[in-house]
Amino acid sequence: MATPEEPSVMAGATLEGSDVVFPTRIMNEHLICSLCMGYLRDALTVTECLHTFCKPCIYQHFCEYLTCPTCECQLGPAPLEKIRSDRAMQNIVDKVFPHFAKEEAAAEKHLKREADANTKKRAAQATAESDSKRKKVSSALAAKKKKQEKDTSASKKLCLSLFPAECAAPLPRLQKPYLRSSVEATVKQYKNYLSGKLQAEHAITVLAADIEIQCKGTPLKNEATLAAVWKEYWNENDDLELCFKRRDP
């Protein structure tokens, strides 16, 4: 995060061959990430509302929320699919404040040198290892490859339905109960999604923490992914069927 310049600091840029100097404060509101309050780095823009944030900041935000941090626009259960890299905005920041880009490049170069040194050191150690240690390394690489293959398969999507569970006081039905989602989406994300939809479609306020999502009558844990739910509770050829209700007191 690059800290905004003091109001009295002047910045310069070259536009069409001419040098332009201006107070940085007149540009700050357009070039600052509202999450970290620093100048944009690796700028990403929400396609639904065109608000822009730093990449690390918006990724961290989406771990808890499914909305735009600025306007609270609902982005659905897979908000990462609604953001795009904004090179135009990042180029403006880099031209107006080139020293930030230079400092970051120098830091990355330093980290690369350290990584290269560590790589050479590990290579020298690997050469001196015994056959048994080499087998352990091969086993670790095989496990890593297996995990990567598992992660790749987890990037697929599935179809599911979300209907109110049959109970004494059922919640209302969603206008669009049939969804297509990444298998990496979690139960917690869908609780946030349901909370927003119930408010928007029926003016009913239900906190995400007060919603229970079930599969075949079994309450699901917040951290469970759709892939895990499918494997443990569903494992059928039909679309995944989930039910929701208010959590019992």
Side-chain angles (χ1 to χ4, degrees), residues 1-207:
M1 177 188 75
T3 305
E5 303 279 7
E6 294 296 327
S8 60
V9 174
M10 305 294 285
T14 302
L15 302 176
E16 297 182 355
S18 301
D19 292 335
V20 179
V21 179
F22 50 87
T24 58
R25 58 183 172 78
I26 68 174
M27 296 289 289
N28 279 350
E29 64 175 296
H30 305 291
L31 306 180
I32 288 177
C33 169
S34 62
L35 291 172
C36 67
M37 300 309 295
Y39 290 116
L40 294 167
R41 300 308 305 160
D42 293 331
L44 293 178
T45 294
V46 180
T47 58
E48 298 291 311
C49 56
L50 302 182
H51 291 123
T52 306
F53 310 92
C54 297
K55 182 177 179 179
C57 297
I58 194 64
Y59 270 52
Q60 183 177 1
H61 174 81
F62 286 156
C63 289
E64 295 291 332
Y65 306 99
L66 302 175
T67 60
C68 169
T70 298
C71 65
E72 297 187 351
C73 170
Q74 289 287 337
L75 302 178
L80 291 178
E81 297 178 0
K82 302 291 182 67
I83 55 176
R84 295 291 183 271
S85 176
D86 195 333
R87 286 307 312 164
M89 180 63 75
Q90 191 59 58
N91 286 338
I92 293 174
V93 176
D94 292 343
K95 285 185 177 181
V96 175
F97 307 106
H99 53 292
F100 291 143
K102 291 179 180 178
E103 291 171 0
E104 185 169 293
E108 290 179 354
K109 188 175 181 180
H110 176 70
L111 290 175
K112 186 177 185 302
R113 283 200 302 267
E114 290 187 344
D116 290 343
N118 290 334
T119 300
K120 291 179 180 179
K121 183 178 179 180
R122 286 194 297 267
Q125 292 173 344
T127 303
E129 285 178 348
S130 64
D131 290 342
S132 61
K133 287 186 178 181
R134 291 179 189 275
K135 290 180 180 179
K136 289 182 180 180
V137 171
S138 299
S139 176
L141 290 174
K144 182 178 180 180
K145 182 178 180 181
K146 185 176 181 180
K147 183 179 183 302
Q148 289 174 338
E149 291 174 350
K150 183 179 179 181
D151 292 342
T152 299
S153 64
S155 64
K156 297 179 181 178
K157 296 180 179 294
L158 57 76
C159 295
L160 72 149
S161 61
L162 274 172
F163 284 97
E166 295 182 1
C167 57
L171 292 169
R173 171 174 170 164
L174 301 181
Q175 294 178 5
K176 295 181 179 180
Y178 297 100
L179 305 169
R180 181 171 173 79
S181 172
S182 167
V183 297
E184 295 177 338
T186 63
V187 171
K188 182 178 180 180
Q189 287 179 311
Y190 269 96
K191 287 183 178 182
N192 289 330
Y193 174 73
L194 285 169
S195 178
K197 282 295 183 181
L198 291 171
Q199 178 64 46
E201 295 178 4
H202 302 285
I204 295 178
T205 300
V206 185
L207 297 177

Side-chain angles (χ1 to χ4, degrees), residues 215-216 218-221 228-236:
C215 182
K216 291 187 175 180
T218 302
L220 302 177
K221 296 181 179 180
V229 172
W230 182 287
K231 183 177 180 180
E232 185 172 354
Y233 302 104
W234 192 248
N235 203 22
E236 298 183 12

